[in-house]
Amino acid sequence: MSIEVANESGVEVDESALVELAGHVLGRMGINPLAELSILVIDEAAMAELHEQWMGEPGPTDVLAFPMDELRPNVGGRDEDASPDPALLGDVVLCPQVAAKQAAEAGHGAQDELELLCTHGILHLLGYDHAEPEEHAEMFGLQDELLGAWREVRRKP
């Protein structure tokens, strides 16, 4: 998988961990190993601009996802031998300043919050949403499962 991280935020983040996490999530979701993903880390001003432009909402947000190709995961109920075509998945845009505020409120580290938001953004790129209660339960359940598995992998020597 080609996973690129561009950090334009002025804040130090563990870019290699984000790349590893994204690879883990995409692998678990059955995405073709030739797929491409971009992760952009930006400051609050740039995020506020994107949030206003694309969502019509003021102020910065934590994560935005901009899908490029229509791509569905290859998990559960599908032919496991069938591999989706390689594709440009899109961009996940993270704001570490907003993530740090949320992390403090949640009682965990900023990097943990960025990893949660990165996973959340990738799921949006794969077509998941949380507007309806059923969708919310499915997406957040999957997010928790993927992050739990990621953290288990990270703990092993």
Side-chain angles (χ1 to χ4, degrees), residues 11 117 119 127:
V11 175
L117 295 171
T119 303

Side-chain angles (χ1 to χ4, degrees), residues 24-93:
H24 166 82
V25 169
L26 295 173
R28 292 282 298 253
M29 296 302 293
I31 302 304
N32 187 300
L34 298 177
E36 299 177 26
L37 169 68
S38 172
I39 301 170
L40 180 61
V41 184
I42 60 176
D43 65 23
E44 287 178 294
M47 183 61 99
E49 188 176 310
L50 288 176
H51 197 212
E52 174 69 35
Q53 179 181 359
W54 295 101
M55 305 302 289
E57 297 181 22
T61 190
D62 51 6
V63 61
L64 290 171
F66 297 98
M68 299 299 271
D69 291 340
E70 188 68 24
L71 189 65
R72 294 288 179 248
N74 184 21
V75 294
R78 293 186 38 198
D79 179 2
E80 293 300 321
D81 293 330
S83 181
D85 293 333
L88 178 60
L89 296 175
D91 303 319
V92 172
V93 184

Side-chain angles (χ1 to χ4, degrees), residues 1-12:
M1 249 166 255
S2 174
I3 302 167
E4 301 288 329
V5 176
N7 186 352
E8 301 172 1
S9 70
V11 175
E12 189 174 325

